Amino acid sequence: MKTKLFTVALLLGSVVAFTQNAVAQQGASAKDEAAIKKVIEGLTTSMYARDLKTYLNYWSTAPYVSRVSTDREGKVTKMTGDEWRKTVEKAAAQNPKPSQETATRDNWLIRVNGNAAFVVFDQHNQYADGTTRDSVEERYLERVNNEWKIVSVTVLPRK
């Protein structure tokens, strides 16, 4: 009888603990999702403003940062670590004039797992000349000192 009572108590305790953990994660997830979207929006805004300092602040300083993207013609570019940082700094120096480009996003998928997050969304760009580009984009972020930082960006055209 004592064994059955202990087993029932243990089972109920496990259910209560699991439920409390699930509720706590739901609250953190909504907060994290909002923070992650804010980082992604800030990254884009600072890039279009050609604000290099702010743009780089959204990125992790890890040596494994990466960016894989395609341009309007479909050429694929992959950059990592120092190569990526040098390319960004060079591009900012060569083209300091703010862009008139705008972007909107929808169809978000955000997966937070502890201090890491995987994000997929559709992005719709409007260029100053009136042309548009739709892309499927991925971001990988890590939480560093309680702030979300971009580690990897992938941009693929939606055709």
Side-chain angles (χ1 to χ4, degrees), residues 43-158:
L43 182 78
T44 303
T45 300
S46 61
M47 180 178 63
Y48 293 162
R50 304 296 192 250
D51 179 353
L52 181 63
K53 182 179 176 184
T54 301
Y55 177 78
L56 290 174
N57 189 53
Y58 285 109
W59 282 84
S60 168
T61 57
Y64 49 86
V65 297
S66 67
R67 179 176 170 86
V68 176
S69 62
T70 57
D71 61 17
R72 289 193 210 187
E73 289 76 40
K75 179 183 173 193
V76 176
T77 304
K78 178 188 91 170
M79 297 176 287
T80 58
D82 286 340
E83 172 195 17
W84 169 82
R85 287 186 214 307
K86 288 175 185 174
T87 301
V88 168
E89 290 169 356
K90 182 179 178 182
Q94 289 176 341
N95 189 10
K97 185 179 175 187
S99 170
Q100 299 303 309
E101 186 175 346
T102 60
T104 59
R105 293 170 197 83
D106 56 24
N107 297 322
W108 291 87
L109 168 70
I110 300 175
R111 169 70 172 119
V112 175
N113 187 6
N115 289 324
F118 176 74
V119 183
V120 180
F121 54 88
D122 294 332
Q123 181 161 302
H124 315 283
N125 291 63
Q126 177 81 38
Y127 298 98
D129 65 4
T131 61
T132 61
R133 175 182 175 176
D134 293 326
S135 55
V136 176
E137 306 206 7
E138 292 182 336
R139 303 288 187 273
Y140 174 73
L141 298 91
E142 292 178 346
R143 193 185 330 248
V144 178
N145 296 325
N146 212 28
E147 290 183 37
W148 287 106
K149 298 289 185 174
I150 301 284
V151 174
S152 181
V153 169
T154 303
V155 179
L156 302 171
R158 180 177 289 279

